[in-house]
Amino acid sequence: MDLALTHHPISDLFPQPASPEEWEKYKLSDEQVQFFHEHGYVSGIRILDEQQLETLREELSGLVQPDHEGSELWYEYHTNESVDPNSVLFHALGAWRIRQGFHDILWNPAFTVPASQLLGGTVRMWHDQLFCKPAKHGGVVAWHQDYSYWTATEPMAHLTCWVGLDESTQENGCLHYIPGSHRWELLPITGLAGDMESIREVLSPEQVEEFQKPVAIELQAGECTFHHPLMVHGSFENKTDGPRRATVINVFKDGTRSAQDKMILDNTEAIPAGQKMEGAYFPILFDPENTQLCFKTD
């Protein structure tokens, strides 16, 4: 069964608020929203409790086995995104179509409310991702901008939420940001795995200077970080005895359009260029008007 055809939670893992007051408690502070717009990210936001973490970890343990049920529904599935067998990076897109927990996290109010604040309106699904680095030899995710891979949509009104399923540290390959790089222009794609520093080839001298000041985003399991689609980010190898697992939720503001006639994500339907991104695979996750929730969005 393709869970993408169901546009609401199908379990009780992420209870939905029943009043504006209950929705209100998930809001970011004005200071957090301001920090995001100034620096391109905001981090350290807890969105998963222990039960939710354990459910997602259990589901993930089955999804990393290539012969699992529902494997035909992935947008992409790479047991190793890297070409080096000694530097493994498991990377897959589309878990929300296959397992209940990864489906229902999209409607987690601890995610949807901040996402709506940072996007400034109604939130639609783009796609999800899994990034897993096994103990000792987990591969890198090279420095990149997310939107360089997403130009099949326009305008640029996207947001990324990176969620740690384990504690994320500098030793096990946590995310790193270049603060303020969300104000840079769109850069060419220089590769997602393999050469961590390949992006340097396309940077100006001024950008190279800013590139020398990365910030490590260390998170507890169950915490997340949100970042802008132009934010330059990457993560180094896992040097520890345990895995470093993460799920990523990518969304865009309602009204984003297709910029090409061909199918944008594998195993979905083509949306003609110029038409609104909507339908079964790009559902609305949160509309602030439906919750009677009012907040500043910039």
Side-chain angles (χ1 to χ4, degrees):
M1 178 180 178
D2 186 352
L3 300 182
L5 303 179
T6 302
H7 297 165
H8 55 77
I10 53 181
S11 73
D12 59 1
L13 190 61
F14 298 97
Q16 299 298 292
S19 68
E21 292 73 24
E22 291 181 18
W23 284 106
E24 185 85 13
K25 68 181 182 181
Y26 294 107
K27 288 170 52 177
L28 298 177
S29 67
D30 290 346
E31 292 75 18
Q32 287 174 307
V33 175
Q34 181 179 356
F35 186 94
F36 175 87
H37 290 297
E38 180 177 351
H39 300 282
Y41 72 95
V42 61
S43 63
I45 301 160
R46 175 157 296 281
I47 67 168
L48 299 176
D49 61 27
E50 286 302 319
Q51 179 188 0
Q52 294 161 348
L53 275 169
E54 286 305 314
T55 297
L56 295 174
R57 288 168 179 159
E58 183 177 355
E59 291 185 353
L60 178 56
S61 67
L63 293 175
V64 297
Q65 305 301 321
D67 59 351
H68 61 267
E69 182 180 2
S71 59
E72 71 281 358
L73 296 174
W74 291 103
Y75 304 137
E76 294 182 31
Y77 187 86
H78 309 280
T79 55
N80 187 6
E81 182 87 14
S82 167
V83 297
D84 183 355
N86 297 311
S87 185
V88 174
L89 175 67
F90 175 88
H91 179 213
L93 285 70
W96 79 290
R97 301 178 65 175
I98 304 168
R99 294 291 183 268
Q100 287 191 9
F102 285 106
H103 174 275
D104 286 3
I105 190 177
L106 306 183
W107 283 269
N108 178 3
F111 158 69
T112 58
V113 171
S116 182
Q117 287 179 271
L118 298 176
L119 281 175
T122 298
V123 180
R124 278 194 183 270
M125 177 60 172
W126 177 212
H127 63 73
D128 60 349
Q129 296 169 281
L130 298 172
F131 284 102
C132 303
K133 299 181 179 184
K136 291 297 185 182
H137 70 164
V140 305
V141 177
W143 294 103
H144 68 285
Q145 296 171 314
D146 288 340
Y147 191 67
S148 64
Y149 292 90
W150 298 346
T151 53
T153 58
E154 61 181 13
M156 184 183 66
H158 296 64
L159 180 70
T160 298
C161 178
W162 192 102
V163 187
L165 300 181
D166 302 297
E167 183 182 11
S168 184
T169 67
Q170 294 190 60
E171 289 73 28
N172 73 3
C174 71
L175 209 61
H176 284 67
Y177 290 138
I178 306 298
S181 59
H182 66 301
R183 290 186 288 270
W184 295 3
E185 73 278 6
L186 183 65
L187 300 171
I189 292 174
T190 54
L192 192 62
D195 182 1
M196 184 71 189
E197 304 294 323
S198 59
I199 198 171
R200 287 178 175 270
E201 301 170 1
V202 299
L203 299 183
S204 69
E206 294 77 17
Q207 290 168 339
V208 169
E209 184 173 348
E210 291 185 54
F211 191 71
Q212 310 307 315
K213 305 170 186 177
V215 173
I217 306 299
E218 295 191 306
L219 301 171
Q220 295 297 313
E223 291 183 339
C224 79
T225 180
F226 289 91
H227 64 254
H228 187 279
L230 290 182
M231 167 61 69
V232 174
H233 63 287
S235 60
F236 295 87
E237 67 272 16
N238 178 7
K239 301 176 182 178
T240 69
D241 294 327
R244 198 235 62 185
R245 298 164 292 186
T247 184
V248 180
I249 308 171
N250 303 299
V251 292
F252 51 68
K253 187 175 180 180
D254 186 37
T256 300
R257 303 180 302 275
S258 171
Q260 65 179 40
D261 291 322
K262 63 182 181 180
M263 186 167 56
I264 292 177
L265 294 173
D266 288 349
N267 299 318
T268 62
E269 299 172 352
I271 297 177
Q275 289 195 16
K276 183 178 177 180
M277 296 287 294
E278 59 185 349
Y281 302 104
F282 311 104
I284 287 177
L285 303 180
F286 181 79
D287 181 349
E289 292 188 4
N290 291 341
T291 66
Q292 303 178 43
L293 181 63
C294 298
F295 47 64
K296 295 180 181 178
T297 56
D298 53 28

